[in-house]
Amino acid sequence: LDDYALGAGTHLSALVLPETLQEIGSHCFENCRLIESVVIPGKVSKIGILAFGGCSSLQSIGVSGDNTEYTSDDGALLTKDETHIVCYPAAKSGDYTFPSTVTDVDDYAFYYCRQLENLEASTLLHHIGEGAFMYCSGLAELSLPPGVVSIGGNAFAYCTGLQKLTSYPQ
């Protein structure tokens, strides 16, 4: 699917992606506010940034077991080797603990996750992408491990509930 293919707030409420699908473009389903879940088919090898950005009802992202590029952890989309968090479902509430293998939070991975309250980052975390936690207004505290070497622009923009951000020097 091409960039911006079905975004801009369409009234799409159910999403079944074809098994032949190989790529989901950037912003493809952005602001499709009625989608509650999605399963990434086995042949998908590329997912663009903000593919599911602003999908405010999205509770979980599953991945077909035969997909060689991606996997799912507690409803979140990760690379198969679990080193990158690609996308966290915007409507998922409560707490999330990164898999211990996570080194990178991709650009806009937690975009508009307003109900996310607590995060426990992996001790291996090195990179936080641009806009990674933008609009996470429910996030109150976050401790970053000593290995974080880069934080992208606007990574915590509009995190109005964030009261404490702790970062440890190396």
Side-chain angles (χ1 to χ4, degrees), residues 37-75:
S37 66
V38 64
V39 175
I40 306 300
K43 293 184 181 188
V44 171
S45 61
K46 182 180 179 200
I47 298 174
I49 65 165
L50 288 168
F52 301 101
C55 293
S56 56
S57 296
L58 189 62
Q59 292 279 341
S60 70
I61 303 170
V63 178
S64 173
D66 60 344
N67 188 296
T68 60
E69 300 295 324
Y70 298 100
T71 190
S72 182
D73 173 66
D74 195 24

Coordinates of all heavy atoms in Angstrom, one line a residue, residues 37-75:
S37 N -7.8 -3.2 15.7 CA -6.7 -4.2 15.7 C -6.3 -4.4 14.2 O -7.1 -4.2 13.3 CB -7.1 -5.5 16.3 OG -8.1 -6.1 15.6
V38 N -5.1 -4.9 14.1 CA -4.6 -5.2 12.8 C -3.6 -6.4 12.9 O -2.9 -6.5 13.9 CB -3.9 -4.0 12.1 CG1 -2.7 -3.5 12.9 CG2 -3.5 -4.2 10.7
V39 N -3.5 -7.2 11.9 CA -2.5 -8.3 11.8 C -1.7 -8.1 10.6 O -2.2 -8.0 9.5 CB -3.2 -9.7 11.8 CG1 -2.1 -10.8 11.6 CG2 -4.0 -9.9 13.1
I40 N -0.4 -8.0 10.8 CA 0.6 -7.8 9.7 C 0.8 -9.1 9.0 O 1.2 -10.1 9.6 CB 1.9 -7.2 10.2 CG1 1.7 -5.9 11.0 CG2 2.9 -6.9 9.0 CD1 1.0 -4.8 10.3
P41 N 0.5 -9.2 7.7 CA 0.7 -10.5 7.0 C 2.2 -10.9 6.9 O 3.1 -10.1 7.1 CB 0.1 -10.2 5.6 CG -0.7 -9.0 5.7 CD -0.1 -8.2 6.8
G42 N 2.4 -12.2 6.6 CA 3.7 -12.8 6.5 C 4.7 -12.2 5.5 O 5.9 -12.2 5.7
K43 N 4.2 -11.6 4.4 CA 5.1 -11.2 3.4 C 5.5 -9.7 3.5 O 6.3 -9.2 2.8 CB 4.4 -11.4 2.0 CG 4.3 -12.9 1.6 CD 3.8 -13.1 0.3 CE 3.7 -14.6 0.0 NZ 3.4 -14.9 -1.3
V44 N 4.9 -9.0 4.5 CA 5.2 -7.6 4.7 C 6.7 -7.5 5.1 O 7.0 -8.0 6.2 CB 4.3 -6.9 5.7 CG1 4.7 -5.5 6.0 CG2 2.8 -6.8 5.1
S45 N 7.5 -6.7 4.4 CA 8.9 -6.6 4.7 C 9.2 -5.1 5.0 O 10.4 -4.9 5.4 CB 9.8 -7.1 3.6 OG 9.5 -6.3 2.4
K46 N 8.3 -4.2 4.8 CA 8.6 -2.8 5.1 C 7.3 -2.1 5.6 O 6.2 -2.3 5.0 CB 9.1 -2.1 3.9 CG 9.5 -0.6 4.2 CD 10.0 0.1 3.0 CE 10.3 1.5 3.4 NZ 10.4 2.4 2.2
I47 N 7.4 -1.4 6.7 CA 6.3 -0.6 7.2 C 6.9 0.8 7.4 O 7.9 1.0 8.2 CB 5.8 -1.1 8.5 CG1 5.2 -2.6 8.3 CG2 4.7 -0.2 9.1 CD1 4.8 -3.3 9.5
G48 N 6.3 1.8 6.8 CA 6.7 3.2 6.9 C 6.3 3.9 8.2 O 5.5 3.4 8.9
I49 N 7.0 5.0 8.4 CA 6.7 5.8 9.7 C 5.2 6.2 9.7 O 4.6 6.5 8.6 CB 7.6 7.0 9.9 CG1 7.4 8.0 8.8 CG2 9.1 6.5 10.1 CD1 8.1 9.4 9.2
L50 N 4.7 6.3 10.9 CA 3.3 6.7 11.1 C 2.3 5.9 10.3 O 1.2 6.5 10.0 CB 3.2 8.2 10.9 CG 3.8 9.1 12.0 CD1 3.9 10.5 11.6 CD2 3.1 8.9 13.3
A51 N 2.6 4.7 9.9 CA 1.6 3.9 9.1 C 0.3 3.8 9.9 O -0.8 3.8 9.3 CB 2.2 2.5 8.8
F52 N 0.4 3.7 11.2 CA -0.8 3.6 12.0 C -0.9 4.8 13.0 O -1.6 4.7 14.0 CB -0.8 2.3 12.8 CG -0.8 1.1 11.9 CD1 0.4 0.4 11.6 CD2 -1.9 0.7 11.2 CE1 0.4 -0.7 10.8 CE2 -1.9 -0.4 10.4 CZ -0.7 -1.1 10.1
G53 N -0.2 5.9 12.7 CA -0.2 7.1 13.5 C -1.6 7.7 13.7 O -2.4 7.8 12.7
G54 N -2.0 8.0 14.9 CA -3.3 8.7 15.1 C -4.5 7.7 15.0 O -5.6 8.2 15.0
C55 N -4.2 6.4 15.0 CA -5.3 5.4 15.0 C -5.7 5.3 16.5 O -5.3 4.4 17.2 CB -4.9 4.1 14.4 SG -4.5 4.2 12.6
S56 N -6.6 6.2 16.9 CA -6.8 6.4 18.3 C -7.6 5.2 19.0 O -7.7 5.2 20.2 CB -7.5 7.7 18.6 OG -8.7 7.8 17.8
S57 N -8.2 4.3 18.2 CA -8.9 3.1 18.7 C -8.0 1.9 18.7 O -8.5 0.8 19.1 CB -10.2 2.9 18.0 OG -11.1 4.0 18.2
L58 N -6.8 2.0 18.1 CA -6.0 0.8 17.9 C -5.5 0.2 19.2 O -4.8 0.9 20.0 CB -4.8 1.1 17.0 CG -4.0 0.0 16.5 CD1 -4.8 -1.0 15.6 CD2 -2.8 0.5 15.7
Q59 N -5.9 -1.0 19.5 CA -5.6 -1.7 20.8 C -4.4 -2.7 20.6 O -3.7 -2.9 21.6 CB -6.8 -2.5 21.3 CG -7.9 -1.6 21.8 CD -7.7 -1.1 23.2 OE1 -6.8 -1.6 23.9 NE2 -8.4 0.0 23.5
S60 N -4.3 -3.3 19.4 CA -3.2 -4.3 19.2 C -2.8 -4.4 17.8 O -3.6 -4.2 16.9 CB -3.6 -5.6 19.8 OG -4.6 -6.2 18.9
I61 N -1.5 -4.7 17.6 CA -0.9 -5.0 16.3 C -0.4 -6.4 16.4 O 0.6 -6.6 17.2 CB 0.2 -4.0 16.0 CG1 -0.4 -2.6 16.0 CG2 0.8 -4.3 14.6 CD1 0.7 -1.5 15.9
G62 N -0.9 -7.3 15.7 CA -0.4 -8.7 15.6 C 0.4 -8.9 14.4 O 0.4 -8.1 13.4
V63 N 1.2 -9.9 14.3 CA 2.0 -10.2 13.2 C 1.9 -11.7 12.9 O 2.0 -12.6 13.8 CB 3.5 -9.9 13.4 CG1 4.3 -10.2 12.3 CG2 3.6 -8.4 13.8
S64 N 1.7 -12.1 11.6 CA 1.6 -13.4 11.2 C 2.9 -14.2 11.6 O 4.0 -13.6 11.5 CB 1.5 -13.5 9.7 OG 1.6 -14.8 9.2
G65 N 2.8 -15.4 12.1 CA 3.9 -16.2 12.5 C 5.0 -16.4 11.5 O 6.2 -16.6 11.8
D66 N 4.6 -16.3 10.2 CA 5.6 -16.6 9.1 C 6.3 -15.3 8.6 O 7.1 -15.3 7.7 CB 5.0 -17.4 8.0 CG 3.9 -16.7 7.3 OD1 3.3 -15.7 7.9 OD2 3.5 -17.1 6.2
N67 N 6.1 -14.2 9.3 CA 6.7 -12.9 8.9 C 8.2 -13.0 9.3 O 8.4 -13.2 10.5 CB 6.0 -11.7 9.5 CG 6.5 -10.4 8.9 OD1 7.6 -10.0 9.1 ND2 5.6 -9.7 8.2
T68 N 9.1 -12.7 8.4 CA 10.5 -12.7 8.7 C 11.1 -11.4 9.1 O 12.2 -11.3 9.6 CB 11.3 -13.2 7.5 OG1 11.1 -12.3 6.4 CG2 10.9 -14.6 7.1
E69 N 10.3 -10.3 9.1 CA 10.8 -9.0 9.4 C 10.3 -8.4 10.7 O 10.9 -7.6 11.4 CB 10.5 -8.0 8.3 CG 11.1 -8.3 7.0 CD 12.6 -8.3 7.0 OE1 13.2 -7.4 7.6 OE2 13.2 -9.2 6.3
Y70 N 9.1 -8.8 11.1 CA 8.4 -8.2 12.2 C 7.8 -9.2 13.2 O 7.6 -10.4 12.8 CB 7.2 -7.3 11.7 CG 7.7 -6.1 10.9 CD1 7.6 -6.2 9.5 CD2 8.3 -5.0 11.5 CE1 8.1 -5.1 8.7 CE2 8.7 -3.9 10.7 CZ 8.6 -4.0 9.4 OH 9.1 -3.0 8.6
T71 N 7.6 -8.8 14.4 CA 6.9 -9.6 15.4 C 6.1 -8.7 16.3 O 6.2 -7.4 16.2 CB 8.0 -10.4 16.3 OG1 7.3 -11.4 17.1 CG2 8.8 -9.5 17.1
S72 N 5.3 -9.3 17.2 CA 4.5 -8.5 18.1 C 4.8 -8.9 19.5 O 5.1 -10.0 19.8 CB 3.0 -8.8 17.8 OG 2.2 -8.0 18.6
D73 N 4.8 -7.9 20.4 CA 5.0 -8.1 21.8 C 3.9 -7.3 22.6 O 3.9 -6.1 22.6 CB 6.4 -7.6 22.3 CG 6.6 -7.7 23.8 OD1 6.6 -8.8 24.3 OD2 6.7 -6.6 24.4
D74 N 3.1 -8.1 23.2 CA 2.0 -7.4 24.0 C 1.2 -6.4 23.2 O 0.9 -5.3 23.7 CB 2.6 -6.9 25.3 CG 1.5 -6.5 26.3 OD1 0.4 -7.1 26.3 OD2 1.7 -5.6 27.2
G75 N 1.0 -6.7 21.9 CA 0.3 -5.8 21.1 C 1.1 -4.7 20.4 O 0.6 -4.0 19.5

